[in-house]
Amino acid sequence: MSERRLSELARVLSQPSGIVSSDFPKLRRAATRMGISYDLWQQGLLYLMLGKREDGLYACGEGGTVISICRQVGKTFTIGSAVFLLCAMQPNLKVLWTAHRTRTSDETFQSMCGFAKNKLMAGHVEHIRRANGQQEIAFRNGSRVMFGAREQGFGRGFDAVDVEIFDEAQILTVKALNDMIPATNVSPNPLIVFMGTPPQPGDPSETFADKRRDGLKHTDGMLYVEFSADPDCDPDDREQWAKANPSFPKRTSETAILRMRKLLGDDDNFRREGLGIWDGENSISAIDPQQWEAGNIDQPDLDGRLAFGLDMPPDRSALAIGMAVRHDDGTALINLQEYRDAKQSGTAWAVDWLAERWPKTSAVVIDAQSPAMSLLPDLQKRHIKVIVTQSRDLGAATGRVLDMIHAGTLQHLDAEHQPQLSMAAHGVTLRDIGPNGLKAWNKKGSDIDISPLQACTVALHGAFVSKRKPGRKQRVMV
């Protein structure tokens, strides 16, 4: 069978416009002299990554190169060897290579040191620094590659960086990105690469997911490459392995993939990391749509024990106040009372809003990990006793919502009256939050805000666990 090109292997290939030349032909000649050969798909990837427009700047310099790829493909070899050769070819090139975990960063550093041991490459290397936190390969022409883990804070404080490699990009926080991207501002021609596997539930994957969304839209100024199997495939289908992994079976053996299949355990993990399938393509919402719709009501019963919950998305773009009313018959109502743009309205209004209602409220609840915790001191100053949920409480609260939906005892208004709550309920999966099987909500896509559901979830928790008795039943306006 003839070797296939990148365009034949990638499920998604979005290339930047205006490429008239590339650094790759020169790099490939150097690689050949040093005994390195690239498969056809690797050649295509590196040609596009190093492609330049008429002005001599990288065509993907604006949005970067983004690679969504499964494990056991050889991405570290492909990008690592290219970076090593670029440093040998271009004087005074400064490169930062970061991974989320220290172990991954250490493994990449050792792999890159392997290139330096090559007799044909060793002459380009000045020295190798192996101290923890200061791992570096320095070249005789003044170029440097520095390695570090983002979990250890690596990447802050650098300047005049020409190339940044974000490995494990599925675990790249917005804060880490904001800390590191400015380091390339003074580079005349920066090159930024994001590469990772589809994220697991709970990973801080907003950055990688946003990049993928841009790639799926074929946004210009970036290179997006995605290798993956069919979303609904049989995970043991060897043809699907070949779709997801361009190195199978030529460089990655069946034994290696079977070993990974066993180590990863369940099918979902293997779909993500072994087959490159994103959860948004095949995941099922944690809340059954029909059961959720069954809880729709037109005339809500507002008599009962009243509680409020607060939540914000990670980017603090909105503030949600959820309400819950616990009825004497064991049923309950949840409702999104307020949902405001925090960038326009701020958050201080919520303190006054809750203080006005506190005398007739049984509980106000915020989860300990929520950005809404910033309101806690101001709420306490207004003598509002806030229940702060920890992981165990949040797991119990999430479980209660699911149990009541299944039992048909949780009520809410329909999507027309509660669009944000409805969208959140239809856009959640579950994530692990502890060793005892506890689960919490997790959004299916980067463009979904689940804070309305989270606010109602903790409000329901407060309505059931609070011992505060405001004195009389309260009627509230929905």
Side-chain angles (χ1 to χ4, degrees):
M1 183 176 65
S2 61
E3 193 173 355
R4 291 183 292 170
R5 299 174 179 273
L6 176 68
S7 58
E8 297 172 308
L9 288 165
R11 176 172 292 275
V12 183
L13 176 59
S14 177
Q15 349 180 358
S17 64
I19 295 179
V20 298
S21 65
S22 176
D23 286 340
F24 178 67
K26 182 180 177 181
L27 184 145
R28 180 172 57 181
R29 289 193 294 271
T32 301
R33 289 194 300 269
M34 296 180 181
I36 295 175
S37 63
Y38 294 112
D39 291 344
L40 204 54
W41 72 268
Q42 294 170 315
Q43 295 176 36
L45 173 61
L46 294 176
Y47 182 91
L48 294 174
M49 185 180 85
L50 301 174
K52 292 182 175 180
R53 291 177 169 152
E54 283 190 23
D55 56 8
L57 300 180
Y58 289 119
C60 61
E62 182 181 340
T65 291
V66 184
I67 307 168
S68 176
I69 195 167
C70 62
R71 290 166 57 177
Q72 295 282 353
V73 175
K75 67 179 185 296
T76 302
F77 167 80
T78 305
I79 304 300
S81 62
V83 166
F84 194 99
L85 290 167
L86 282 176
C87 287
M89 292 161 48
Q90 298 183 21
N92 302 313
L93 200 69
K94 186 186 288 188
V95 181
L96 294 186
W97 189 302
T98 78
H100 172 69
R101 301 179 181 88
T102 301
R103 178 179 177 180
T104 305
S105 177
D106 289 345
E107 289 176 352
T108 302
F109 173 66
Q110 294 301 327
S111 296
M112 295 283 278
C113 287
F115 293 130
K117 294 177 182 178
N118 184 310
K119 293 180 180 180
L120 298 172
M121 291 186 176
H124 294 279
V125 177
E126 177 70 30
H127 67 263
I128 297 176
R129 180 180 296 169
R130 299 181 180 275
N132 288 336
Q134 297 181 357
Q135 294 171 326
E136 173 185 297
I137 299 175
F139 293 75
R140 296 187 187 279
N141 62 1
S143 294
R144 291 187 295 161
V145 187
M146 293 163 282
F147 302 83
R150 295 188 292 274
E151 68 178 357
Q152 300 296 331
F154 177 82
R156 294 192 293 268
F158 288 97
D159 59 6
V161 174
D162 301 293
V163 181
E164 287 190 341
I165 310 295
F166 292 98
D167 200 356
E168 295 183 316
Q170 75 275 12
I171 318 176
L172 173 60
T173 64
V174 174
K175 183 179 184 302
L177 185 69
N178 291 340
D179 284 342
M180 296 185 66
I181 288 296
T184 64
N185 286 345
V186 299
S187 173
N189 194 12
L191 182 64
I192 302 173
V193 179
F194 305 84
M195 55 185 188
T197 59
Q200 298 183 20
D203 283 344
S205 58
E206 287 83 0
T207 296
F208 199 43
D210 285 346
K211 289 290 184 183
R212 179 180 188 252
R213 185 169 62 246
D214 289 340
L216 295 178
K217 293 179 181 177
H218 296 277
T219 302
D220 200 8
M222 69 179 293
L223 170 63
Y224 180 73
V225 183
E226 179 175 319
F227 297 97
S228 64
D230 297 335
D232 57 351
C233 73
D234 176 357
D236 294 314
D237 185 343
R238 271 52 172 178
E239 290 186 4
Q240 293 294 329
W241 293 5
K243 277 190 176 183
N245 190 329
S247 294
F248 173 80
K250 179 180 177 180
R251 297 185 184 274
T252 304
S253 67
E254 180 176 350
T255 301
I257 296 184
L258 286 172
R259 185 186 306 115
M260 176 173 58
R261 177 93 166 90
K262 183 176 181 180
L263 291 174
L264 289 176
D266 65 37
D267 285 352
D268 286 341
N269 284 337
F270 183 68
R271 285 178 181 275
R272 283 187 290 266
E273 300 195 41
L275 298 177
I277 300 172
W278 283 67
D279 281 352
E281 296 180 86
N282 67 321
S283 61
I284 300 174
S285 176
I287 298 176
D288 183 275
Q290 292 184 345
Q291 291 184 342
W292 175 260
E293 298 299 329
N296 288 346
I297 51 172
D298 296 324
Q299 300 295 325
D301 180 1
L302 303 174
D303 286 326
R305 180 171 289 237
L306 172 68
F308 295 106
L310 286 80
D311 194 46
M312 300 180 76
D315 63 1
R316 302 183 62 86
S317 59
L319 176 60
I321 298 182
M323 178 201 77
V325 177
R326 177 186 175 185
H327 304 135
D328 292 339
D329 62 359
T331 63
L333 167 75
I334 56 173
N335 182 66
L336 182 62
Q337 283 293 100
E338 294 286 336
Y339 183 78
R340 300 189 192 180
D341 187 329
K343 295 178 181 178
Q344 293 185 2
S345 304
T347 58
W349 61 268
V351 178
D352 294 332
W353 193 96
L354 289 165
E356 180 182 347
R357 292 159 177 77
W358 174 242
K360 299 174 182 179
T361 300
S362 64
V364 172
V365 190
I366 308 174
D367 185 67
Q369 301 302 315
S370 171
M373 279 292 290
S374 61
L375 292 171
L376 182 61
D378 292 332
L379 291 168
Q380 291 174 332
K381 288 179 183 178
R382 299 294 291 272
H383 307 292
I384 298 173
K385 295 180 180 179
V386 179
I387 296 174
V388 178
T389 56
Q390 304 296 330
S391 295
R392 181 175 180 179
D393 309 310
L394 186 60
T398 305
R400 176 180 284 110
V401 170
L402 287 171
D403 289 345
M404 293 186 72
I405 290 174
H406 296 160
T409 56
L410 188 65
Q411 303 169 342
H412 50 81
L413 297 180
D414 60 26
E416 182 179 351
H417 295 90
Q418 295 274 265
Q420 297 94 343
L421 180 59
S422 180
M423 289 176 63
H426 287 86
V428 291
T429 57
L430 293 171
R431 60 184 174 89
D432 295 325
I433 57 172
N436 299 319
L438 295 176
K439 306 283 187 180
W441 304 125
N442 189 60
K443 59 185 182 180
K444 289 173 65 176
S446 62
D447 57 345
I448 296 173
D449 180 12
I450 61 172
S451 65
L453 180 62
Q454 182 82 326
C456 290
T457 298
V458 295
L460 186 67
H461 176 76
F464 272 85
V465 304
S466 174
K467 295 188 171 36
R468 172 181 163 83
K469 297 180 179 180
R472 63 186 178 89
K473 294 180 180 179
Q474 169 67 2
R475 293 189 62 85
V476 293
M477 181 177 294
V478 177

